Amino acid sequence: MAAEVTEANLSKVDSAIDDAPASPSESKPRHRRTSSTVSGVFNILDLGKSVNGKLTVTSEKEGVDLKIAPETQKLNWKLNTSPSTVDDKEVLSKLLTTPPIKKIDLQFPLGLEVTARNLKGVTIKDALDAIHKQFKKKADDELDKPYLAGFEWDREECYTRFIVHQKATGEAPASSGKKKKGKKDEEA
């Protein structure tokens, strides 16, 4: 009788007795939490067409066209300064591409490549943050072309990468059209 009681007690406490399946193949597939995925945001690899393991796009119908936000060409942003220094702060929250994507590689002309990521869709700020991370320790005189001119997408060369264009000088901030009154204007 004591042996029966001991077995019953052990089965309740024994960690070796488990309802888990014996092998991983018998277990149920685990699903990603829905809070970490957003509907309507794509992986760029899913937008193109894969042929023989390589992502290629041979015609307009097979791959989705990405449209880069035109605001990126008007930012007048210096690569080694924080993205928060951009004049128009509202632009930073806009999506970098249409349709929204989870990540994009940004390639510079000399071969440097950075990746901007955001599971809710890469924004202009995400792209600027990725670029700034590489250039924040560079002095102004170390950069030949310190200003962002915009991004280019060449679907034939590489579907999953944007080319970063730079320029040597930034434009002067656009005036609001109102003339400020100086002391001479006030006296007259």
Side-chain angles (χ1 to χ4, degrees):
M1 182 165 156
E4 292 173 20
V5 172
T6 309
E7 277 185 34
N9 289 342
L10 286 178
S11 67
K12 292 180 184 175
V13 190
D14 193 359
S15 61
I17 298 174
D18 193 4
D19 291 339
S23 68
S25 62
E26 293 176 13
S27 66
K28 294 179 184 177
R30 295 181 186 222
H31 296 284
R32 178 167 268 226
R33 286 180 279 169
T34 56
S35 63
S36 62
T37 59
V38 177
S39 63
V41 179
F42 302 96
N43 183 341
I44 195 163
L45 298 173
D46 296 339
L47 295 176
K49 183 179 180 186
S50 180
V51 177
N52 297 332
K54 290 188 174 184
L55 188 71
T56 58
V57 180
T58 56
S59 75
E60 296 288 325
K61 295 177 186 174
E62 294 174 342
V64 176
D65 270 337
L66 292 177
K67 292 176 183 65
I68 302 172
E71 294 88 356
T72 60
Q73 298 174 6
K74 303 170 191 165
L75 291 175
N76 199 30
W77 176 67
K78 203 169 193 180
L79 303 178
N80 61 354
T81 61
S82 171
S84 63
T85 61
V86 171
D87 294 333
D88 190 5
K89 305 280 188 241
E90 294 173 8
V91 170
L92 296 176
S93 61
K94 291 187 178 183
L95 291 171
L96 181 64
T97 63
T98 304
I101 53 175
K102 293 179 183 180
K103 80 171 195 161
I104 187 70
D105 295 326
L106 306 171
Q107 184 177 23
F108 288 84
L110 296 176
L112 174 68
E113 192 171 300
V114 296
T115 303
R117 293 180 177 88
N118 187 337
L119 291 176
K120 295 178 181 176
V122 175
T123 62
I124 294 173
K125 183 181 185 317
D126 296 325
L128 298 185
D129 283 338
I131 294 169
H132 177 250
K133 189 173 183 179
Q134 290 296 317
F135 290 99
K136 65 183 175 184
K137 294 183 181 177
K138 300 270 186 193
D140 289 345
D141 60 350
E142 292 180 66
L143 300 171
D144 294 336
K145 295 180 178 180
Y147 291 92
L148 179 69
F151 301 104
E152 175 190 359
W153 181 53
D154 186 359
R155 69 182 295 144
E156 281 78 30
E157 185 177 323
C158 186
Y159 192 86
T160 62
R161 188 178 302 144
F162 287 170
I163 300 166
V164 179
H165 291 283
Q166 298 167 263
K167 56 187 176 182
T169 59
E171 289 89 33
S175 62
S176 62
K178 292 183 180 179
K179 183 179 174 184
K180 290 187 177 181
K181 290 186 176 182
K183 289 185 179 181
K184 291 181 182 179
D185 290 338
E186 290 175 3
E187 293 172 4

